[in-house]
Amino acid sequence: MTQPNAITGLLPEGLSDRLPPAAEASAHLARSVLDTVAAHGYARVMPPIAEFEETLTQRLKSARAQDLLRAVDPVSQRTLAIRPDMTAQVGRIAATRLATTARPLRLSYGGPVLKLRANQLRPEREQLQVGAELIGTDSVAAAVEIVNVAIEALQAAGVTGITIDFTLPDLIDTLAAGPMPLSDAEREAVRTELDAKDAGALVALGAGAASYLPLIEAAGPFHAAMDKLEAIDAATGQGAIASRIAALRAIAKPIGWDITLTLDPTERHGFEYQSWFGFSVFAEGFVGEIGRGGSYAILRSDGSEEPAIGFSLYPDPLIDAGFGAMPVKRLFLPLGHDALVAKALRGEGWRTVAALSDVDDGAALGCSHWLDGDSARGY
């Protein structure tokens, strides 16, 4: 019978260890992404793993107090929350510590986040998040940069078969306030049925809701879906979303032919705090998205808003599939080896494992070679 105080290897549900070589692959993949982002002028920030709850829930406009693992700080007696996402933390840094820094402000980050609950597609509660935020503008030019930097970062990590799925998070609000009017209650019901792609339920909601039916068809391969979205806008006779359509085409134009583009203009899952533009990132062979991004607003301390746009990647599935792994040359150093020779070999890329006793076995310790005088010999 196991004693209550027995030491076990069990971890909480959704949490796990990364062992060699996966842990090193994780660090290498994150560094590859961050180095690519840094090459475009994004400076690294490192926020803490936990903050006061209100700073995580009140910094981004429309952000909700959900998915937070909370605890009471024994020092301040205030509620702390472990970050489920790093975007709000970057927003806090931009709005406070870097408030007077010239805009546009480019920041990058990488580290673990902890979800309160997992889901079927991503059962891990602790995830690695790596990303970049462009603060001070959410213009089309900024969106073009962010999308292309995200693609370049994934390609630098060896990812192929990339799909970018665009969305317009405020599309329903724009149409409902203009050419296709809806009450607040109708608007939420229409959003729900569009999420489910339920044409019958939309018709059952009434004539106003039924006018949103064509949006279900305006999803799929980018260019065909855009043609349908343009037809919807033309049918209203007001051009209420003409600027959004033009922006999407401008964002898509410089993207390489090897990237698949799709459009789901009413998608809102995961885009709770995005404003006019959002996108999800998928990769061939992986279930579910591996990243997302878009435009949003940061709330300053005085209540004013600052526009921003960014992306976050969640590369754990890539790491599990072997991305980020690097061949390693491990050299066993027997007792009495020449330290200067060993140092020179480390400079050539070898990783050395020194014997601490005469019973150490280099092969058992994961070495492919051993040092014989001044030469590396294979086992």
Side-chain angles (χ1 to χ4, degrees), residues 134-161:
L134 180 51
I135 297 158
T137 177
D138 62 355
S139 66
V140 173
V144 169
E145 177 172 310
I146 280 293
V147 172
N148 282 279
V149 169
I151 292 171
E152 186 178 332
L154 283 171
Q155 290 175 329
V159 180
T160 59

Side-chain angles (χ1 to χ4, degrees), residues 163-188:
T163 293
I164 303 294
D165 185 43
F166 295 117
T167 187
L168 296 171
D170 68 350
L171 177 62
I172 304 305
D173 290 338
T174 301
L175 293 174
M180 299 164 65
L182 295 172
S183 68
D184 290 344
E186 289 173 327
R187 188 179 309 182
E188 190 55 39

Side-chain angles (χ1 to χ4, degrees), residues 20-76:
E24 189 160 359
S26 174
H28 179 257
L29 190 146
R31 173 50 57 193
S32 177
V33 170
L34 289 169
D35 284 349
T36 302
V37 169
H40 288 271
Y42 289 78
R44 180 84 179 267
V45 294
M46 296 180 67
I49 189 69
E51 296 195 22
F52 293 123
E53 179 184 7
E54 60 268 23
T55 66
L56 285 176
T57 59
Q58 298 176 8
R59 187 57 66 182
L60 300 185
K61 184 180 180 182
S62 301
R64 295 179 293 177
Q66 60 181 6
D67 208 21
L68 293 177
L69 186 61
R70 299 171 174 87
V72 175
D73 178 17
V75 177
S76 66

Side-chain angles (χ1 to χ4, degrees), residues 137 170 188 221 223 228 281 295 347:
T137 177
D170 68 350
E188 190 55 39
H223 295 291
K228 293 175 182 177
V281 185
S295 60

Side-chain angles (χ1 to χ4, degrees), residues 242-303:
S243 63
R244 296 284 191 270
I245 291 170
L248 283 179
R249 290 205 180 277
I251 295 166
K253 185 176 180 179
I255 295 175
W257 62 269
D258 55 332
I259 305 300
T260 300
L261 301 181
T262 59
L263 173 68
D264 189 347
T266 64
E267 175 62 41
R268 61 174 182 161
H269 176 70
F271 297 98
E272 288 80 9
Y273 62 81
Q274 261 73 33
S275 53
W276 73 270
F277 169 68
F279 65 97
S280 298
V281 185
F282 300 87
E284 186 177 2
F286 295 91
V287 176
E289 64 187 20
I290 58 173
R292 72 171 68 98
S295 60
Y296 58 97
I298 298 171
L299 296 179
R300 299 189 183 99
S301 299
D302 62 4

Side-chain angles (χ1 to χ4, degrees), residues 94-114:
T96 56
R97 306 286 299 278
L98 299 178
T100 60
T101 304
R103 267 46 173 179
L105 176 63
R106 291 173 170 86
L107 299 176
S108 66
Y109 53 88
V113 296
L114 185 63

